[in-house]
C-alpha cells in the first residue's frame, strides 16, 4: 500500500469512520499537515459528481505533501480516475462496501433524519420509502459508484473493481478489515469510532421486515456486485 490513498466513499458504507480512523492512527505522528483531505462539497456551478471531481482536482497537490494522506469523497470511480491521471501508480485506491439492502435502508433513514442537512427537501422528494425505491438513481449505488464508465454492465464493473481497487473493506467486518489496512500502512490497529450512524434504527428494522423481498429484486445488481467482491477481494500487503 502506498502512502497516498484515495477513498471512494459510497454513502453509508463506513467511509466517514475510515476517515476518522486514519486521522486517529496518525494523531501522535510528526506529520505537519492533516492526513485526510475531505471532498465534502462540489465546486459551484457544476453538476454534483462533476463538481466533486473538479474539487478533487483542485486540491490534488495536497495529497502529495510529505507523509501519509487520504483524499476522500462521494465521487464515482469513473469521475475520479481521470483526475488522478498520470499519478495513478503513486496512489492506492480504496473503498468499503456494505450489504446492499441494509445500505439502502440506512441511506434512506439517515437522509430523513434531523442530522441530515437536506432532510426537508429529501422528505418532500420521497415522502415514503416505496417512493424512494422507485427512483433508479437512488438504488444500486455501489454498482453505480464503481462503474468504470457510464452504463458499464455488471460483469465489466466487477472485473474492473477487482483489478483496479487496491483495498475493498466490508462494513460488516469493518474493524478487522480496517485493521489490516492500518497494518499494511505501517500503522497500529485501533478500534474504529462509529460516525454518522443512522438514528432511526427501529424505523430501519420495520422497513427491512416490510420490504426485504422487494429489495432483493430491485437491488439485484448491487447484491451481485457485493457478493462477488466479498468472495474475491484481495487484501493489501
Amino acid at each position: 500500500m502506498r502512502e497516498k490513498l484515495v477513498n471512494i466513499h459510497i454513502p453509508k458504507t463506513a467511509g466517514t469512520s475510515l476517515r476518522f480512523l486514519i486521522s486517529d492512527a496518525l494523531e501522535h505522528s510528526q506529520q505537519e499537515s492533516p492526513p485526510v483531505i475531505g471532498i465534502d462539497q462540489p465546486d459551484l456551478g457544476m453538476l454534483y459528481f462533476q463538481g466533486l471531481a473538479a474539487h478533487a482536482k483542485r486540491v490534488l497537490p495536497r495529497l502529495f505533501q510529505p507523509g501519509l494522506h487520504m483524499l476522500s469523497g462521494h465521487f464515482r470511480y469513473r469521475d475520479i480516475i481521470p483526475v488522478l491521471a498520470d499519478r495513478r501508480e503513486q496512489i492506492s485506491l480504496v473503498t468499503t462496501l456494505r450489504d446492499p439492502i441494509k445500505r439502502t435502508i440506512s441511506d434512506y433513514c439517515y437522509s430523513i433524519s434531523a442530522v441530515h442537512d437536506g432532510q426537508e427537501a429529501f422528505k418532500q422528494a420521497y415522502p415514503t420509502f416505496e417512493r424512494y425505491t422507485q427512483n433508479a438513481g437512488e438504488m444500486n449505488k455501489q454498482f453505480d459508484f464503481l462503474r468504470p464508465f457510464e452504463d458499464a454492465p455488471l460483469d465489466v464493473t466487477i472485473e474492473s473493481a477487482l483489478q483496479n481497487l487496491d483495498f475493498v473493506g466490508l462494513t460488516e467486518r469493518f474493524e478487522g478489515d480496517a485493521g489490516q489496512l492500518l497494518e499494511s500502512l505501517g500503522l497500529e490497529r485501533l478500534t474504529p469510532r462509529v460516525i454518522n450512524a443512522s438514528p432511526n434504527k427501529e424505523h430501519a428494522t420495520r422497513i427491512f421486515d416490510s420490504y426485504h423481498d422487494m429489495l432483493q429484486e430491485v437491488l439485484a445488481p448491487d447484491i451481485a456486485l457485493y457478493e462477488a467482491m466479498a468472495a474475491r477481494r484481495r487484501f493489501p500487503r
Side-chain angles (χ1 to χ4, degrees):
M1 292 293 287
R2 302 164 186 86
E3 281 195 328
K4 308 306 175 186
L5 306 177
V6 172
N7 177 38
I8 297 176
H9 178 185
I10 303 167
K12 307 312 295 177
T13 62
T16 303
S17 294
L18 182 61
R19 287 170 59 162
F20 275 81
L21 186 65
I22 295 293
S23 292
D24 289 347
L26 290 168
E27 182 179 0
H28 301 297
S29 73
Q30 301 301 312
Q31 186 167 310
E32 294 183 5
S33 53
V36 176
I37 305 160
I39 309 301
D40 299 317
Q41 297 293 333
D43 278 359
L44 295 176
M46 305 181 74
L47 296 174
Y48 181 74
F49 288 114
Q50 288 71 25
L52 288 179
H55 185 173
K57 184 174 183 178
R58 184 162 47 80
V59 303
L60 188 64
R62 291 171 52 196
L63 183 66
F64 294 93
Q65 299 170 101
L68 194 157
H69 291 88
M70 179 169 74
L71 187 73
S72 180
H74 289 310
F75 29 71
R76 302 173 301 190
Y77 176 86
R78 61 187 178 276
D79 300 317
I80 197 63
I81 284 299
V83 172
L84 305 181
D86 296 338
R87 308 201 77 163
R88 174 66 183 93
E89 295 304 316
Q90 300 170 257
I91 292 165
S92 287
L93 198 62
V94 305
T95 195
T96 48
L97 300 177
R98 184 178 181 183
D99 174 274
I101 293 177
K102 293 181 178 179
R103 192 219 65 81
T104 301
I105 295 172
S106 178
D107 201 1
Y108 172 79
C109 288
Y110 178 80
S111 297
I112 64 172
S113 72
V115 297
H116 179 54
D117 291 340
Q119 176 197 32
E120 292 306 319
F122 187 90
K123 281 181 161 182
Q124 289 180 8
Y126 307 113
T128 66
F129 181 74
E130 189 165 357
R131 176 75 64 84
Y132 181 65
T133 65
Q134 293 168 359
N135 185 339
E138 295 288 356
M139 299 296 104
N140 296 295
K141 283 186 180 177
Q142 296 176 117
F143 171 40
D144 184 54
F145 267 63
L146 296 185
R147 276 178 153 167
F149 53 88
E150 204 74 31
D151 298 324
L154 179 62
D155 59 340
V156 172
T157 299
I158 290 171
E159 291 306 316
S160 170
L162 287 166
Q163 292 177 23
N164 296 310
L165 294 173
D166 300 290
F167 171 82
V168 179
L170 301 182
T171 303
E172 289 76 16
R173 50 158 298 157
F174 183 73
E175 184 170 352
D177 286 358
Q180 285 192 273
L181 177 61
L182 290 178
E183 286 185 347
S184 73
L185 294 167
L187 301 172
E188 181 181 353
R189 281 183 179 243
L190 297 176
T191 300
R193 291 190 269 166
V194 177
I195 310 294
N196 286 346
S198 173
N200 296 316
K201 292 185 178 179
E202 290 184 4
H203 189 193
T205 299
R206 290 195 298 271
I207 292 174
F208 183 90
D209 292 341
S210 300
Y211 291 95
H212 179 272
D213 292 346
M214 184 190 77
L215 288 171
Q216 286 272 16
E217 182 176 349
V218 172
L219 299 176
D222 242 21
I223 292 170
L225 171 74
Y226 176 83
E227 291 178 348
M229 297 303 295
R232 297 170 59 192
R233 66 200 174 113
R234 55 195 171 91
F235 287 103
R237 301 187 185 278

